[in-house]
Amino acid sequence: MSDVPVPHLVTGMRRETADTVSLTLTPAGQEALEPFAPGQFAMVYAFGVGEIPVSVSRVGRRELVHTIRSVGAVSAALCALRPGSQVGLRGPFGTGWELERAAGQDIVAVTGGIGLAPLRPLVLAARAAHRAYGRLNLLVGSRTFEDLLYADQVRAWAESHGPLLCRATVDRPSPGWWGHVGLVTTLLNSARFVPENTTAYVCGPEVMIRATARDLLHRGVRADRIRVSLERNMRCATGHCGHCQLGGVLMCRDGPVIGWDRAASLLMVREL
Amino acid sequence: MTNNPATGVLDRDGLSALIEVLAAQGRTVIGPTVRDGAIVLAEIGSADDLPFGWGSEVEAGRYRLVPRADGAVFAHTAGPQSWKTFLHPQREKLWSAERTPDGALSVTEDDPEQTSYAFLGVRPCDLRAITIQDRVLAGGRYPDRGYRERRTGAFLIAAECTEPGATCFCVSMGGGPAVDGSGFDLALTEVLDQGGHRFLVRVGSEAGRDALDGVPHAPADAETEYAARAAVDAARDRMGRAMPPVDLRTLMGESLEADRWDDVAARCLTCGNCTMVCPTCFCTTTEEVTDLTGDHAERWLRWDSCFDVAFSHLHGGPVRASARSRYRQWLTHKLSTWYEQFGSSGCVGCGRCVTWCPVGIDITEEAAALHDERAGRLRHEKQKETQR
Ligand SMILES: Cc1cc2nc3c(=O)[nH]c(=O)nc-3n(C[C@H](O)[C@H](O)[C@H](O)COP(=O)(O)OP(=O)(O)OC[C@H]3O[C@@H](n4cnc5c(N)ncnc54)[C@H](O)[C@@H]3O)c2cc1C
Ligand code: SF4
Ligand code: SF4
Ligand code: FES
């Protein structure tokens, strides 16, 4: 459904950090949305307040999980919901990460802040099918320990010796912090990948995306194999409202995941 | 020159009869009228409502209606509105939602209003603008239902241009004063000579043929056809303005960091008038409206403008805060990135944005200045190269 929100029941709510909540959403009636691919997003409607784009942070059989940071009217209303409330959902929209295109390659996923949410389903899928890929790396950046999403899960990954190499870093350490300190790009040094045979996935604030893509390029990862997810204002998600333009890219239709080969020159222009 | 053979000649009474036939089909007939000193598109009941004897004088930032002694009805240029006012209205309800006391949500889509329009006097530039909006709003993966229904139900009577305005530049945008090809039901060409005041009619569709069959008209004669062609051909050579004859896509793509944007930003009021009057500009935003009980909410669509600073707002501030970046967004979208998004230019050269800009900013002049700046830059680079 793309025109009208489909009612969904909040069947789970988890507080991730002081300002971020994960909602598990299950169709309230007969009508359900088409399946979402990792990297795609839904327009999530908070009754009487408005609608915002939110990526899927987990895709279940019937249910979807969205991890939402409260930054304004709609996101705050969504973060205040309790199990039993209902929201409207439209989607799935946009391009996904397209993990299948990385078969046989090393994978490097780099996240900053809330950017871990859209990449979680990709990491879970890659980990579950790790034999199809080379080495798997997840590099997680966060401002502080308190802001780290899915902290227990990230720590378990970081301490495991499974197929996924996971490292986490914070800008400012606080008591109890178990990982690195510094920018997420510094973690690239400890990641294991052969640049010529690597696909990278990057999601986070735009400054972080630029810095990470620059370092990956510098190491020899092909620009079209650096897949980044960009954020622009979105009102419709169906290609009609014009808000999500970045040059010739309509982010809701041609993105939010695009290759660095296309993104680089657009992001170089200030205020494009 | 055209694959639609002329099929008839109408006089003023014939035009009135045509309006009546279309109204009898249950259509709302919209055409140019004179109101508040401008040509305004509004519902018409007969040919008497049309602006016989009115022309317009336009310049950058100026518009004035002037009486015409010859009594011509289609000799005015574009007014402040375009047909998008009807096909893609300023405000439209999309859906409403109810919340029951136990928190359950139900959403109902609003059925688009079922108006069946007939547009009388669609200029060739505006005909192109409609096909451009068709691609944007009805052509993609998610057709806009309301637009599509209004559009498929609309009957289009084109009027070729015999009197282009000083701000017109359709020829340099690959169009022209003639109606060619398809996309219309009937096409009129106004002829005023010793033979009288009459309209050559060409048929562009079955519905057009049916409508014409229902009104008294004379068979097309060679003299009227000749006069009509001559008037339209002459109009082609009298365009008031022109875009610089360069590949505008490349020009825009290579001018993103031009100094000229600062120059135009110093003049631009970022009022958004240009986007409102432009027949292809389609941007919208949504509004959430709730009633006092708080259990009923409505979602409305309304026109928006890339000149509004909130247009690009993100957590952390707008992407395009400066006037420079917003004017650049408008011009590069019209002339360049529209191709990537929707496969054509976003400008048909109707001149409205030039006429209705309160400070007279002229997009042909801005494009020419960008061209000069780029040419200077390229010359400079070449010089440096040869010196090396
Ligand atoms: C494809 C995509 C995927 C996304 N995925 C996620 C995700 O998984 N999780 C997530 O948390 N977020 C995600 N986002 C971001 C999320 O959509 C935004 O945070 C959300 O739209 C904010 O809306 P809001 O109504 O809560 O805040 P807004 O009201 O939009 O406020 C945001 C900020 O802007 C300010 N502001 C509000 N209105 C204006 C105005 N008119 N002018 C200037 N400033 C204003 C507010 O004060 C606030 O600081 C995604 C965005 C996109 C495009
Ligand atoms: S940009 Fe100006 S001239 Fe071009 S179609 Fe729009 S209003 Fe007309
Ligand atoms: S170009 Fe003219 S009409 Fe357009 S926003 Fe600027 S001042 Fe307003
Ligand atoms: S969000 Fe409306 S066009 Fe992309």
Side-chain angles (χ1 to χ4, degrees), chain A residues 1-8 45-51 69 71 84-88 90 92-94 231-233 235 237-243 245 247-250 253-254 262 268-272, chain B residues 95 97-99 102-107 109 136-137 142-145 256-257 282-286 288 290 294-297 299 304 310-315 319-322 325 328-329 333 337 340-342:
Chain A
M1 248 334 244
S2 56
D3 290 348
V4 165
V6 176
H8 278 66
Y45 171 56
F47 177 84
V49 189
E51 204 184 26
R69 191 169 107 160
V71 298
S85 337
Q86 294 196 7
V87 299
R90 295 190 292 134
F93 294 117
E231 182 180 347
R232 283 295 175 270
N233 189 306
R235 313 303 303 177
T238 53
H240 298 149
C241 77
H243 280 255
Q245 295 175 66
V249 176
L250 272 185
R253 181 190 76 181
D254 311 326
R262 193 153 185 216
M268 240 169 60
V269 183
R270 271 191 60 210
E271 294 191 295
L272 191 64
Chain B
W95 40 264
E98 313 289 334
R99 188 171 55 184
D102 63 353
L105 203 65
S106 72
V107 186
E109 188 167 11
V136 175
L137 296 171
Y142 308 105
D144 177 322
R145 211 168 66 113
L256 295 177
E257 307 283 11
F282 59 85
C283 289
T284 50
T285 188
T286 44
E288 183 80 7
T290 45
D295 293 326
H296 175 82
R299 174 135 292 220
D304 201 358
F311 189 83
S312 64
H313 127 78
L314 279 183
H315 175 56
V319 174
R320 292 185 283 273
S322 69
S325 68
R328 179 181 64 191
Q329 166 63 25
H333 189 214
T337 50
E340 276 165 77
Q341 294 168 3
F342 304 110

Side-chain angles (χ1 to χ4, degrees), chain B residues 92-124:
Chain B
E92 189 183 7
K93 190 165 147 195
L94 294 179
W95 40 264
S96 21
E98 313 289 334
R99 188 171 55 184
T100 61
D102 63 353
L105 203 65
S106 72
V107 186
T108 6
E109 188 167 11
D110 259 71
D111 278 326
E113 43 165 331
Q114 289 297 325
T115 317
S116 165
Y117 287 115
F119 296 156
L120 173 61
V122 184
R123 298 317 175 98

